[in-house]
Amino acid sequence: YYLSLHPLIADWLRLRNDNLRIDSIKEAVFVLQEHISAHMQQIGIDRVFPLSFEHKAEILSHINACEGHLRRMNRFTNSHSDLVEPLTLGTGVFEHAGDVISAFFKDHDLASKALPLANLVLESRTKRLGERNLLTCEAMWHVGYILEQEGDIYNAQDTILKAATNRRVILGAD
């Protein structure tokens, strides 16, 4: 499923210099992240998105378009390694976007897309914040919840127990 941009907009994006193109992609991902977040409801530990089928399809189309633009930008970056480091959902400036999009995937039974993205977010947060951080525990819990949804109960239980133990150490027993 690929979002086709109006030809003038596509040409405008292609003709921009590299830094402006990177900024445009970042802006598109951040707008998508905020749009998805605005429609998210927290129910206990679960994040749900009560949206119409058409709205979900539009969001999935935009996610695919952003991923495609990131892949193309990274291919260009790899051939010109002195420019910037690769941009990936779930890491660096896109860590929170990866978390939100992963939750969106999970809620729409796309665990095969949600799990790798959730694992990237967990890796990024563990590296940046350490295991004993509430945001890392939240990411760990999210990975466990996706594993449970996929039927991997053993790994889900281990991951959720580790998240709960770290959370208890951070916040105390009460």
Side-chain angles (χ1 to χ4, degrees):
Y1 202 34
Y2 182 74
L3 175 69
S4 176
L5 296 175
H6 186 280
L8 291 175
I9 295 173
D11 286 345
W12 174 73
L13 279 173
R14 272 194 291 277
L15 295 173
R16 300 182 99 188
N17 73 38
D18 299 328
N19 289 333
L20 287 176
R21 190 176 304 134
I22 290 169
D23 290 343
S24 296
I25 292 170
K26 286 179 181 177
E27 187 174 340
V29 171
F30 293 140
V31 167
L32 180 63
Q33 165 196 315
E34 290 305 311
H35 180 76
I36 294 171
S37 293
H39 292 89
M40 180 174 60
Q41 294 179 359
Q42 189 84 27
I43 300 175
I45 62 165
D46 199 12
R47 296 180 280 183
V48 296
F49 304 85
L51 303 169
S52 69
F53 176 78
E54 291 81 14
H55 197 168
K56 291 174 190 177
E58 287 176 11
I59 290 174
L60 287 170
S61 176
H62 289 294
I63 291 170
N64 287 337
C66 285
E67 288 175 328
H69 288 302
L70 287 171
R71 276 192 301 278
R72 281 190 292 284
M73 179 56 66
N74 288 334
R75 275 196 304 269
F76 178 78
T77 300
N78 288 339
S79 63
H80 300 84
S81 61
D82 58 323
L83 292 179
V84 293
E85 65 183 63
L87 300 171
T88 307
L89 287 177
T91 63
V93 295
F94 297 135
E95 183 181 278
H96 184 62
D99 183 47
V100 169
I101 292 170
S102 173
F104 182 81
F105 284 154
K106 185 207 72 56
D107 188 54
H108 295 93
D109 296 323
L110 296 167
S112 62
K113 292 187 85 168
L115 188 57
L117 196 48
N119 277 322
L120 278 175
V121 171
L122 177 57
E123 265 180 53
S124 179
R125 287 187 180 167
T126 302
K127 193 182 297 181
R128 188 171 57 86
L129 304 169
E131 269 194 6
R132 301 261 165 103
N133 180 281
L134 287 176
L135 288 174
T136 305
C137 290
E138 180 184 300
M140 203 177 296
W141 196 278
H142 184 62
V143 168
Y145 200 56
I146 295 169
L147 288 168
E148 179 186 38
Q149 184 180 10
E150 284 207 311
D152 189 352
I153 303 301
Y154 179 76
N155 286 324
Q157 183 179 10
D158 283 350
T159 305
I160 291 170
L161 182 62
K162 187 175 183 179
T165 302
N166 286 345
R167 184 179 166 93
R168 190 171 297 118
V169 167
I170 296 165
L171 297 176
D174 291 352

